Amino acid sequence: MKIGLFGGTFDPVHNAHLFVAEAARVELGLERMIFLPTRGAHYRTPPVANVEDRLSMLRLALAANPAFALDEADLAGDATGYTADLMPRVRARHPHDRLTFVVGGDSLVDSPWQRFDTVLANLDCFAIAPRAQREPQRLDDFLAGLSEAEAEKFVVLDLPALNGSATLVRTQLARGGSIRYLVPDAVERYIARRRLYAGPVHADA
Ligand code: ATP
């Protein structure tokens, strides 16, 4: 089976995540897109919402698409939060599937990836979604720095760059603004019910 993997903090999941995941799935002919929420990345401030709330919002957001699935492997007690540790676990569960990791271009160049060779070794393909970037040249530089064998696994998706981000959602909420149309309705209702993201915003994006 051709499977996509989409990792993130999802703090909260928003419509640009869902668009990128589905558009990548269609463009690459993937049968399933698995969302892999992480407890928190080492290189940035911890997520604002707790794991349970982020998971609940993801479940609500993914429910409408039968091709979307959730894998909680990176939330396990012994998960390190490093993609290099996560990928062998995911690969072990899908030994015969074709695995494609999907990321926004910013994540590729702005995150300090540890043991990227291990990440790549466990994947068949690495797909990059264009994102409005501070320095678009850095993505070109990153791709130019790959070896021939590594470059063969990379594909830049033919998608428009959307500006949506979890930071934008949190910023709107902190200033009492609307998040309607930025997130699915069920996620908007969940956030209102749980009164999430009412405090000051800590932006990494
Ligand atoms: P934050 O604003 O808190 O940094 P985020 O919106 O970037 O969050 P993450 O959960 O950190 O969301 O990202 C998960 C994945 O989704 C990453 O690969 C990220 O690059 C990608 N992504 C998020 N928003 C977009 C977007 N508008 N276009 C393309 N990729 C995106």
Side-chain angles (χ1 to χ4, degrees):
M1 195 191 292
K2 291 167 87 177
I3 294 178
L5 306 169
F6 194 46
T9 42
F10 303 112
D11 187 28
V13 59
H14 52 74
N15 286 341
H17 286 139
L18 301 171
F19 170 77
V20 166
E22 178 63 4
R25 192 185 74 75
V26 169
E27 184 173 329
L28 300 172
L30 310 175
E31 286 144 89
R32 196 187 299 165
M33 182 63 76
I34 301 178
F35 287 65
L36 285 155
T38 183
R39 208 165 267 283
H42 300 274
Y43 54 89
R44 53 182 287 175
T45 50
V48 179
N50 65 37
V51 167
E52 289 71 28
D53 282 330
R54 288 186 288 121
L55 258 182
S56 297
M57 291 187 280
L58 261 177
R59 286 201 189 94
L60 291 169
L62 305 188
N65 189 334
F68 284 173
L70 189 60
D71 185 334
E72 298 176 31
D74 209 25
L75 298 174
D78 60 346
T80 64
Y82 288 112
T83 309
D85 294 324
L86 176 63
M87 280 309 111
R89 297 171 81 142
V90 175
R91 168 55 78 191
R93 287 195 210 180
H94 301 278
H96 307 299
D97 294 315
R98 182 179 161 78
L99 298 180
T100 297
F101 200 85
V102 178
V103 291
D106 62 309
S107 303
L108 196 61
V109 295
D110 292 342
S111 315
W113 289 76
Q114 304 270 335
R115 292 167 280 136
F116 196 63
D117 51 339
T118 306
V119 175
L120 270 187
N122 285 282
L123 293 168
D124 298 285
C125 179
F126 201 102
I128 303 160
R131 190 169 185 181
Q133 288 159 60
R134 277 167 284 174
E135 297 172 65
Q137 183 60 38
R138 293 177 60 202
L139 183 55
D140 294 340
D141 293 346
F142 180 92
L143 294 173
L146 296 171
S147 72
E148 206 174 312
E150 288 173 335
E152 274 175 14
K153 289 193 175 179
F154 276 78
V155 52
V156 179
L157 295 163
D158 185 19
L159 303 178
L162 299 188
N163 271 326
S165 69
T167 302
L168 172 62
V169 175
R170 296 194 301 272
T171 303
Q172 276 296 93
L173 287 162
R175 59 194 283 270
S178 173
I179 58 164
R180 193 170 182 191
Y181 308 120
L182 292 180
V183 300
D185 290 347
V187 173
E188 184 192 7
R189 285 194 295 271
Y190 185 94
I191 289 172
R193 200 165 62 242
R194 301 271 299 141
R195 295 189 172 84
L196 301 179
Y197 307 113
V201 174
H202 303 284
D204 281 296

